[in-house]
Amino acid sequence: MKIVFYDTKPYDRESFERCNKNYPDIEVEYQDADLTEKTAVLARGADAVCAFVNSNLSAGVIDRLADENIKCILLRCAGFNNVDIERAKACGITVLRVPGYSPEAVAELAMTLALGVNRHLHKSYIRVRENNFSLNGLTGINFYKKTAGIIGTGKIGAAMARICHGFGMKIIAYDVFENPAIKEFTTYVTLDELLAQSDLISLHCPLMDNTYHLINRETISKMKDGVILVNTSRGALVKTDDLIEGIRAHKFFGVGLDV
């Protein structure tokens, strides 16, 4: 099997070459270019392409891949909203993704962002570099006994819930499907209840039609004043202009984003 690996970064090549030593029958060709209609021709002679979360896998690109006899699209990410699934199905191309890679790593990053925002670590770092050791404006809150609202309780959301539980927080959650693995210490509530009760809100849901701009002017208005918002999922879960408006209105204690 031959795979063309698009949008290759040095760490991608290093990791995949190390793993691929165990699979001598798989040939991987690395490309710096990302996948588009113009670059789809680079997959000529291959059986599959490997793409990332920002790769263009629209109908036009999939048609070009079908012209090159590609049989499989391998996504090295969980999200697949950038893929025209129906066109891939029509072209007989299988789409595979990674539904749960390093959930604890992402959850730990989400808590890192929450702690960094809460304790103003970015501002502290800058002050210390300037020999300013004043604590004015740098005080945070204790997460202990506060309420953490987890939106999306798949593998990553569940890992985040466990971390927050370890901090002694009360855990509430919203999801279409309840996760039995965390129900011992998690209470499922409506989205409006979560928004109104949470001191920390962490987003861990996929980007779909019903989650697009889930965080907007209306939902922000339902949040507590001084809430901390963290998003390590997809950027379009949050309507940026409305978020900026909320920040300028001092609705948030802080916001942590890695999307």
Side-chain angles (χ1 to χ4, degrees):
M1 183 177 188
K2 180 179 179 180
I3 303 170
V4 174
F5 195 109
Y6 282 89
D7 191 23
T8 306
K9 301 295 188 293
Y11 49 81
D12 291 322
R13 184 188 295 266
E14 179 183 345
S15 298
F16 275 76
E17 285 186 346
R18 183 169 62 248
C19 294
N20 203 37
K21 290 179 180 178
N22 299 320
Y23 302 95
D25 294 336
I26 297 179
E27 177 187 354
V28 182
E29 178 182 308
Y30 297 97
Q31 296 289 345
D32 294 333
D34 204 353
L35 182 56
T36 65
E37 287 192 43
K38 290 184 177 180
T39 62
V41 68
L42 298 174
R44 182 168 297 168
D47 305 288
V49 296
C50 184
F52 196 44
V53 67
N54 292 319
S55 300
N56 178 3
L57 287 156
S58 60
V61 174
I62 290 174
D63 286 342
R64 300 288 78 74
L65 293 174
D67 290 342
E68 302 300 339
N69 295 315
I70 296 300
K71 300 301 181 186
C72 189
I73 294 172
L74 308 169
L75 298 172
R76 55 187 192 275
C77 55
F80 56 93
N81 62 287
N82 57 324
V83 184
D84 190 321
I85 298 294
E86 292 304 317
R87 183 56 65 93
K89 184 177 180 180
C91 292
I93 298 177
T94 302
V95 180
L96 301 175
R97 67 186 181 109
V98 187
Y101 62 94
S102 301
E104 288 77 19
V106 179
E108 288 173 15
L109 174 61
M111 180 52 84
T112 300
L113 291 173
L115 291 171
V117 164
N118 181 31
R119 298 298 176 180
H120 302 286
L121 294 184
H122 54 301
K123 293 182 180 178
S124 302
Y125 173 77
I126 292 170
R127 282 193 188 180
V128 170
R129 282 173 60 89
E130 296 174 348
N131 290 318
N132 178 355
F133 298 94
S134 169
L135 297 179
N136 291 335
L138 298 181
T139 54
I141 61 171
N142 285 355
F143 281 164
Y144 177 64
K145 290 191 175 180
K146 295 296 191 300
T147 299
I150 311 298
I151 299 179
T153 53
K155 292 183 179 181
I156 297 173
M160 181 63 172
R162 293 187 188 97
I163 291 173
C164 292
H165 181 61
F167 272 69
M169 303 184 77
K170 175 185 176 182
I171 313 300
I172 59 177
Y174 170 74
D175 201 323
V176 176
F177 302 101
E178 298 184 3
N179 189 338
I182 59 172
K183 292 192 75 170
E184 181 181 347
F185 56 84
T186 301
T187 301
Y188 279 89
V189 297
T190 66
L191 179 59
D192 283 352
E193 289 173 323
L194 184 146
L195 296 171
Q197 298 174 25
S198 299
D199 302 291
L200 165 66
I201 297 175
S202 193
L203 305 182
H204 300 285
C205 48
L207 179 60
M208 300 183 293
D209 290 342
N210 62 340
T211 60
Y212 179 76
H213 286 175
L214 178 69
I215 303 302
N216 53 53
R217 183 181 290 110
E218 180 183 355
T219 52
I220 290 171
S221 69
K222 296 176 181 178
M223 297 178 187
K224 282 184 176 182
D225 291 340
V227 67
I228 293 175
L229 175 67
V230 172
N231 184 13
T232 53
S233 296
R234 304 302 299 277
L237 294 175
V238 180
K239 189 173 181 180
T240 302
D241 289 344
D242 291 358
L243 177 65
I244 293 171
E245 180 181 292
I247 292 171
R248 288 175 172 169
H250 304 290
K251 181 68 174 180
F252 300 97
F253 186 89
V255 177
L257 305 174
D258 184 3
V259 294

